[in-house]
């Protein structure tokens, strides 16, 4: 069999500005163009935009939801994991990524970045979070995705 | 976007006879032919055989692993969720299925069937488990998959 | 410091007959008399009765709840773990026990027994479950607790 | 029955200076003097020091461990929850607290603070973390514990 597709976890706010949503969508398209799979929290905002971007470019998308409601995911998910784990699912989202791209967000996003760093995952902060120790900064989607795919 | 693909969780022993492995592989092929996605525990035995079957028929496969080791999955997984949750991942495997097909197994498989029934998922026992209250019995892969896809 | 108290996970139905509840309460009292701590799912039925029994005998009780609602536990819990994990908390309940005593129950109880056996915990079935491979049978509370405390 | 004891989750580094360990121990003693229960991650460093302090003052201590190894907890735990959940246990630690006190730490501690804020728990940063939005600052153990117990 071929080698495993690279999986990139993308995290960020459930409610975001049009500018941030456009950025997330571009991240999703770029990941798909690189042949990668998007993993996200499955809901609205950045999670929906990145899935929409990847989906529009023919990529695979996985949403790990906090509840058991399989229909609560956004419409751009190829795979829905209705985990029922509550916020413990944040640990699963980042563990499922070979690398993590973090867009602007709040406490949930911060928890995912911190868990990812604890797990030793590479974390790229896209126009956010680069002040945190261990987070690589990027100013545009192409750079962020390139960093996430770098060996 | 198109409607969500149906996801079928398939559970069973990590070590199994050639006969059971062939049965699991046929289940995987049948799920793929129905346009469904296989969700499994990602490891050896029934988990590997069902993924191999689905993969060989062009289907998608998801493995939810108990550890953080993304490379411990079998080679037929499209998506690897290295959950790190230990046996609590058994609850995630079945929650991720719209229905569950259970092949012969031991305590781990039994825990997945019981969790699936608790969650209200339809559970089909394939040449096993049909003595349990709430489990539908099937004797061949095609019947099991047809039951899992029934509305 | 003194050696760690033995922790006994007690599982069973959230709704049960007066006879079963009396039996669960006696199990709780016996565990407390042995100096052990009761771990349970924190809710009603067998979970509440075993906690009430242990509490009445001066013992410690721990409830691991499926939701984040700390006030949803029964009133006899010394420690409330509002896990938010959904049914994945069943794995935590039994993992927290040095041994497990299972009273009559349904699918949730069966999942806990199966997870406990998978984890290698000793499982004692009290007037139930002794037909399952690996479960020790007992007919009264004193015998069940003695088996749970046996080295 | 009497009302439930207040549970305070205390988080911080697994390796810390003598000064920080002394501070954590004082936090544990203060929580016990207030009649509260300490919840922590169960391991070394701040987790062990806070448990030792509470234990020395006759208080209850709970450790939620990431592995299934019940013997990996520090010796000052009244209750050991060997969760097996990996870093997802960080969400359980803070969910189990009515309030959270955070001492200096690294990515694991940061993840716990962020998850606690997401869950709406009051978070007190003791000589650390008070730059984070939503974290109350305190400079000594008595103040931190008073804030954690405030209505």
């Amino acid at each position: 069999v071929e080698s495993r597709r690279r999986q990139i976890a993308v995290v960020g706010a459930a409610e975001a500005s049009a500018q941030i949503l456009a950025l997330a969508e571009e991240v999703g398209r770029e990941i798909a163009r690189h042949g990668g799979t998007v993993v996200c929290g499955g809901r609205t905002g950045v999670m929906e935009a990145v899935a929409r971007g990847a989906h529009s470019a023919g990529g695979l998308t996985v949403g790990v939801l906090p509840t058991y409601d399989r229909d609560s995911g956004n419409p751009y998910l190829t795979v829905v994991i209705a985990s029922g784990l509550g916020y413990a699912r944040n640990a699963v989202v980042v563990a499922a990524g070979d690398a993590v791209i973090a867009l602007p967000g709040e406490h949930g996003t911060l928890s995912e970045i911190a868990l990812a760093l604890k797990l030793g995952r590479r974390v790229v902060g896209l126009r956010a979070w680069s002040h945190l120790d261990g987070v690589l900064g990027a100013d545009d989607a192409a750079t962020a995705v390139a960093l996430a795919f770098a060996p």
Side-chain angles (χ1 to χ4, degrees), chain A residues 70-105:
Chain A
R70 292 160 286 171
D71 296 326
S72 67
N74 69 62
Y76 307 104
L77 301 174
T78 319
V79 173
V80 174
I81 309 286
S83 75
L85 295 168
Y87 295 118
R89 79 82 144 82
N90 291 14
V92 177
V93 169
V94 295
D98 293 293
V100 177
I101 297 176
L103 281 86

Side-chain angles (χ1 to χ4, degrees), chain A residues 100-102 110 113-114 116-117 121-138 147:
Chain A
V100 177
I101 297 176
L110 179 58
I113 293 168
L117 292 169
R121 298 292 191 266
R122 184 181 299 177
V123 179
V124 182
L126 178 51
R127 294 195 203 159
W129 308 110
S130 60
H131 62 287
L132 290 175
D133 192 36
V135 175
L136 303 174
L147 283 168

Side-chain angles (χ1 to χ4, degrees), chain A residues 7 43 54 60 78 109:
Chain A
Q7 298 178 185
R43 304 203 97 153
L60 290 179
T78 319
T109 307

Side-chain angles (χ1 to χ4, degrees), chain A residues 37-60:
Chain A
T37 297
V38 166
V39 180
C40 68
R43 304 203 97 153
T44 58
V46 164
M47 299 173 265
E48 178 162 342
V50 70
R52 186 170 55 235
H55 184 270
S56 74
L60 290 179

